Amino acid sequence: MINIPKGTKDVLPVDSYKWQYVEGVARETAKLFNLKEIRTPVFEHTELFQRSVGDTTDVVTKEMYTFKDKGDRSITLKPEGTAGVARSFIENSMANGVLPAKMYYIIPAFRYERPQAGRLREFHQFGVEIFGAKGAQTDAETIMLADSLLKNLGLKVKLYINSIGCPTCRAAFNKGLKEFFAPKLDNLCYDCKTRFEKNPLRLLDCKEEECKKINADAPSILDYLCEDCREHFEALKSYLTSAGIEYEINPRIVRGLDYYTRTVFEFVSTSIGAQGTVCGGGRYDGLIEELGGGSVPAVGFAAGIERLLMVMEQSGVEIPAPAVPTVYIAGMDADCRKKAFELAAALRQKGVFVEIDHMERSVKAQFKYADKLGAKYVAVIGGNELAEGKANVKQMATGESENVAFENFAEYFLGK
Ligand code: ATP
Ligand code: MG
C-alpha cells in the first residue's frame, strides 16, 4: 500500500465542490477588476526563484523542491506564483503591450515545510499581479480586490499594512537594524546570525520565539522612509479610506519574500489564531528589472486556498451545495433499464442532469439511492409503463406523482 506523500492532500469528489466554489468566486472577483488568467509551468529554472524570492529567504534556503532533470538542469517546483508570472511578463514582452497588465492565477505551490493545519507541502494559491502602474491607487485597488474576495467568501478578516520602503530608505533602515541587533547577536538563532550579515530586514521575519521577543523593540521601518516612500504610503492610506476599507498599520510586517518594495499587506482571519494569515502581498517595483526586464513597477498578492477553506469552515460559512440530478430514471427489469438508458441519453443531450442505475438494483433500492443523491424527481418504469410508453414520475419534495409519456420527457424535465 503506497500512501500519499507527507504534507499533501487529496481533494475527494465529495469535497471538490467547495474548491470549485472558492475558485469560482475568485475568478468572478478577478473579472470585476478586469484581470485575465495567466497559466505558467509548475516548474521553472531554480535560478528564477533564487533571483526573485531571494537567496536569504526561508523559502529559497530551506523549503524548495529542487532537483536535476535528465538534462542536468536545476529545476524547482514553484514555491509561489509571482516569479513565474514575472518571467513570463518579460519573456513575452508584455511591457510593450497594453499597460497596466492585470492578471490572476490559480496554482499549486510547493514548500518543504513542517506540515500542520493550514500549512502543507503542496498547497494552492489564488494570486493577482498588476504590472506597469506605479501609483498608490493601484496598491489600493489590489488590496480592494483581496478585500472583495474575502468578503464575497463570507470571511471576517483584518487588514494590516506597512511600507518597507525602497532600496534608498532600506539601506538606512538596514543600518539602523544592524546597530540595534549587533549587541544582541549572541541571543539570536543560528539563521538570524546569517540574516544579520546578509539581509538584516529578514531578522524581523524570524519565527523563533526568542528572536520574536527581541524583534519587538527593533526600530520601525516607518521612521526611515524617504520622502517619496512616505508620500506613497500616505496616498495608499487615503485611497483605502476613500474605498471604505479599514486597516491597521503594522510596522512588523516585512513579508517572507525579498522582492517587495514600499507597500506590503496581510489579511488575517479574526476567527482563528494559528495560520490565520489567509492572504499576503505588496508592491515589487524592482523585480522585473532584477530579472532582466525593463524598469516596470508592479503590485500583487496571493491567497492560500486551503487557508481560505479552513477559515470558512471554522467560521461556519455555508458553501452552496453542489447540483443534484433533476431526475433519476429507475427501471424494474433489464428491458426497463434499457429504456431508462435510452431516455437518459436523450435527456442529457438536452442538458438535463439525469442519473440511472448502474448496479442492477431493485426498484426499491434505486429509489433509496435516488433519494440519497437528492434527485428532484424519480421516474419509474415497470413492465406496464414500458408497454404503454410512459413512466410514473414522482416529485420527491411533495410526494406527488403523475404519468409522463416517454416522448414528453425532455419537455417535462427541461428547466425543472
Ligand atoms: P506564512 O507566514 O503563513 O508562512 P507566507 O508569508 O509564507 O505565509 P506567502 O508566501 O505570502 O505566505 O503566500 C501567500 C499565502 O499562501 C499565505 O498567506 C497563506 O495563505 C498561503 N500559504 C503560504 N504557505 C503555505 C503553506 N505551506 N500551506 C498552505 N498555505 C500556505
Ligand atoms: Mg511561510
Side-chain angles (χ1 to χ4, degrees):
M1 164 75 197
I2 300 168
N3 294 320
I4 194 167
K6 197 173 165 188
T8 66
K9 270 191 180 150
D10 297 318
V11 177
L12 300 179
V14 286
D15 288 324
S16 54
Y17 75 97
K18 299 176 189 165
W19 283 74
Q20 289 169 353
Y21 175 74
V22 171
E23 290 167 6
V25 171
R27 288 179 194 281
E28 280 304 308
T29 309
K31 196 168 88 185
L32 286 183
F33 284 76
N34 192 29
L35 276 69
K36 297 211 162 57
E37 185 179 9
I38 179 164
R39 300 189 185 195
T40 65
V42 166
F43 57 85
E44 297 273 359
H45 293 293
T46 302
E47 196 192 345
L48 176 69
F49 303 111
Q50 291 166 335
R51 289 257 295 275
S52 56
V53 175
D55 46 22
T56 54
T57 58
D58 279 1
V59 170
V60 169
T61 54
K62 302 178 188 165
E63 298 172 0
M64 293 207 305
Y65 279 86
T66 298
F67 59 95
K68 282 275 172 73
D69 73 4
K70 293 197 196 308
D72 208 32
R73 300 170 196 90
S74 181
I75 294 292
T76 295
L77 302 183
K78 57 185 169 194
E80 55 90 60
T82 303
V85 174
R87 189 230 2 100
S88 176
F89 178 85
I90 299 168
E91 200 162 349
N92 292 289
S93 307
M94 286 190 232
N96 301 332
V98 181
L99 292 178
K102 304 169 90 178
M103 54 201 82
Y104 75 90
Y105 53 80
I106 296 175
I107 56 161
F110 306 87
R111 297 184 192 175
Y112 194 79
E113 299 203 70
R114 195 165 62 80
Q116 304 158 55
R119 192 173 291 286
L120 293 143
R121 290 184 174 171
E122 184 194 31
F123 61 102
H124 297 78
Q125 290 186 332
F126 165 71
V128 159
E129 320 288 356
I130 302 180
F131 297 95
K134 64 177 191 303
Q137 181 197 312
T138 311
D139 307 34
E141 191 160 302
T142 305
I143 291 174
M144 199 195 297
L145 200 167
D147 184 70
S148 302
L149 168 70
L150 300 170
K151 282 189 180 133
N152 291 342
L153 291 174
L155 291 179
K156 296 222 172 4
V157 289
K158 201 160 169 171
L159 165 63
Y160 294 97
I161 62 169
N162 189 25
S163 172
I164 56 169
C166 62
T168 311
C169 28
R170 194 90 56 81
F173 183 55
N174 276 337
K175 209 164 145 247
L177 282 177
K178 280 198 133 176
E179 279 162 20
F180 171 82
F181 281 107
K184 305 173 175 68
L185 216 51
D186 284 348
N187 300 323
L188 296 176
C189 72
Y190 176 79
D191 286 340
C192 276
K193 294 194 174 87
T194 316
R195 291 173 181 135
F196 179 84
E197 291 304 331
K198 292 193 175 159
N199 191 353
L201 192 70
R202 293 259 69 81
L203 288 162
L204 299 178
D205 203 33
C206 187
K207 307 282 192 293
E208 296 291 329
E209 281 311 318
E210 202 51 38
C211 298
K212 276 208 237 169
K213 262 188 233 155
I214 297 173
N215 285 346
D217 301 319
S220 162
I221 177 83
L222 295 175
D223 295 330
Y224 287 80
L225 294 186
C226 67
E227 199 44 44
D228 285 353
C229 287
R230 193 183 309 278
E231 255 172 43
H232 189 96
F233 196 46
E234 288 308 313
L236 168 66
K237 290 191 265 181
S238 137
Y239 277 115
L240 289 177
T241 304
S242 71
I245 297 174
E246 283 176 34
Y247 60 85
E248 191 175 303
I249 296 167
N250 180 350
R252 286 283 162 268
I253 295 179
V254 295
R255 313 286 306 122
L257 315 167
D258 267 354
Y259 47 63
Y260 289 109
T261 50
R262 295 192 165 170
T263 307
V264 288
F265 61 91
E266 287 182 1
F267 281 90
V268 181
S269 158
T270 48
S271 58
I272 53 162
Q275 270 64 261
T277 309
V278 288
C279 170
R283 179 164 278 286
Y284 52 98
D285 289 346
L287 180 62
I288 297 298
E289 199 157 20
E290 168 64 31
L291 292 178
S295 163
V296 179
V299 55
F301 74 80
I305 298 181
E306 285 84 356
R307 298 252 178 115
L308 291 173
L309 283 164
M310 188 173 84
V311 175
M312 285 165 76
E313 188 156 322
Q314 282 165 349
S315 44
V317 172
E318 291 235 7
I319 295 179
V324 293
T326 302
V327 54
Y328 183 101
I329 309 173
M332 201 183 70
D333 56 21
D335 285 343
C336 298
R337 279 199 292 269
K338 181 85 193 303
K339 188 69 200 172
F341 178 83
E342 269 171 37
L343 289 166
L347 284 181
R348 285 173 183 146
Q349 256 182 19
K350 302 263 182 202
V352 178
F353 184 0
V354 42
E355 181 58 297
I356 53 174
D357 172 66
H358 290 264
M359 308 297 290
E360 300 179 16
R361 291 186 173 111
S362 70
V363 166
K364 195 176 159 201
Q366 288 182 58
F367 240 104
K368 238 173 124 178
Y369 176 61
D371 199 37
K372 211 160 131 189
L373 290 178
K376 293 177 199 162
Y377 294 86
V378 178
V380 182
I381 305 171
N384 291 341
E385 283 84 4
L386 185 62
E388 290 164 25
K390 62 182 189 192
N392 186 265
V393 176
K394 181 174 173 187
Q395 185 175 5
M396 299 301 272
T398 60
E400 283 166 21
S401 60
E402 61 182 318
N403 289 330
V404 178
F406 294 152
E407 68 255 33
N408 295 335
F409 252 49
E411 195 190 338
Y412 186 85
F413 289 111
L414 237 131
K416 281 223 157 92

